[in-house]
Amino acid sequence: MILGVTGSIGSGKTTVAKFFSKHWYSRIDADWIGHEILKKDKKIQKEMVRNFGSGILDKNRNIARQKLGNAVFSDKNKLKKLNSIMHPLIIKEIKNHIKKIRAKCGKNARIIIDAPLLLETEAKNLVDKVIVVKCDEKNIFKRNKKFTMQQTERILNTQMPLKKKLKQADFVIDNNKDLNDLEKQVENIVQKLNQK
Ligand code: ATP
């Protein structure tokens, strides 16, 4: 069983996926995979600089994700370009992770893929069930520690509207209450999946 969890930036995807790991789901984090590629793949680093300029580098000539984000999230074409470079690599790596987990835990291993762009990419074809986490913008802004309000707003504007995501959901999680409530909703889904 492979689950995919998605939702807006800061909606609680990772927190949800971590709750699933308590129920023996192996977690694959698409964002983390993307970060590792940017950190380690010299060829991709060069391609990034070629496309987005050396302004995306930090003092040590590594890619500064914050700077890269600033360069692409205000320009639709640049974001498209970034996605066209990164998505196939991320998906390839997700497939590798699935293979490794299955080799270790068996064909029926429980897996959860935490992917902000699950429904916008081929990643959706890898999952058996889609979970969409919804969260009001006021809570996203309140909880978010990674981005400024302006950056969050900008990223939200580039993402698929929640309504469209919800239409493709097998399960919807409402993350507007506390973490106990969130964990209970995960437990309910686990129970439902166990009954099938
Ligand atoms: P991103 O899109 O940035 O990867 P995300 O959707 O994975 O974010 P999380 O990282 O899970 O979201 O959550 C964002 C922040 O909100 C985290 O600091 C998390 O601990 C906190 N958080 C998530 N859900 C709740 C909740 N129900 N109550 C309080 N804090 C929460």
Side-chain angles (χ1 to χ4, degrees), residues 2-196:
I2 304 186
L3 307 178
V5 59
T6 192
S8 308
I9 175 181
S11 55
K13 301 175 289 295
T14 303
T15 311
V16 163
K18 284 184 178 166
F19 282 140
F20 272 95
S21 11
K22 290 192 184 179
H23 300 273
W24 308 105
Y25 280 82
S26 301
R27 190 166 67 88
I28 300 176
D29 183 335
D31 267 351
W32 183 83
I33 290 174
H35 299 165
E36 287 294 293
I37 293 171
L38 287 176
K39 210 158 70 181
K40 293 182 179 156
D41 190 325
K42 296 285 172 216
K43 215 176 99 196
I44 291 299
Q45 287 171 357
K46 277 191 190 145
E47 196 166 350
M48 290 293 151
V49 173
R50 209 169 43 240
N51 280 287
F52 308 115
S54 52
I56 62 165
L57 296 174
D58 64 16
K59 280 189 299 206
N60 304 317
R61 312 249 346 131
N62 294 318
I63 291 178
R65 282 191 284 117
Q66 189 94 353
K67 290 182 181 177
L68 178 60
N70 286 339
V72 299
F73 280 117
S74 50
D75 183 327
K76 263 193 178 162
N77 288 329
K78 284 187 183 169
L79 182 60
K80 237 181 165 172
K81 183 72 197 170
L82 175 71
N83 288 342
S84 73
I85 300 169
M86 292 303 291
H87 289 168
L89 298 171
I90 294 174
I91 288 170
K92 193 172 151 207
E93 204 45 42
I94 291 176
K95 285 182 180 166
N96 280 340
H97 280 261
I98 293 173
K99 252 193 210 157
K100 279 187 198 155
I101 294 167
R102 284 186 168 156
K104 198 170 147 199
C105 308
K107 251 173 108 183
N108 296 325
R110 294 173 171 191
I111 296 171
I112 185 154
I113 305 174
D114 171 0
L117 298 178
L118 181 82
L119 300 172
E120 290 91 332
T121 64
E122 289 297 305
K124 64 175 174 288
N125 301 328
L126 301 174
V127 306
D128 301 305
K129 299 280 177 202
V130 172
I131 299 169
V132 175
V133 184
K134 66 172 186 177
C135 183
D136 293 345
E137 280 193 19
K138 71 171 193 308
N139 286 327
I140 293 180
F141 287 128
K142 202 166 75 186
R143 292 170 187 164
N144 151 66
K145 293 177 198 93
K146 280 196 252 177
F147 302 101
T148 64
M149 282 253 288
Q150 205 188 14
Q151 283 167 331
T152 309
E153 189 93 63
R154 241 194 279 159
I155 297 171
L156 274 172
N157 287 335
T158 67
Q159 296 187 329
M160 183 192 278
L162 181 64
K163 254 191 184 166
K164 212 170 153 191
K165 285 186 181 144
L166 291 172
K167 279 192 188 145
Q168 299 176 65
D170 295 292
F171 298 100
V172 177
I173 290 182
D174 182 344
N175 188 17
N176 284 299
K177 294 188 184 148
D178 61 18
L179 290 168
N180 278 335
D181 179 82
L182 186 64
E183 186 162 17
K184 277 202 189 107
Q185 293 183 64
V186 169
E187 282 165 4
N188 280 338
I189 296 174
V190 170
Q191 258 177 24
K192 279 186 188 146
L193 291 169
N194 285 347
Q195 280 159 12
K196 283 189 179 160

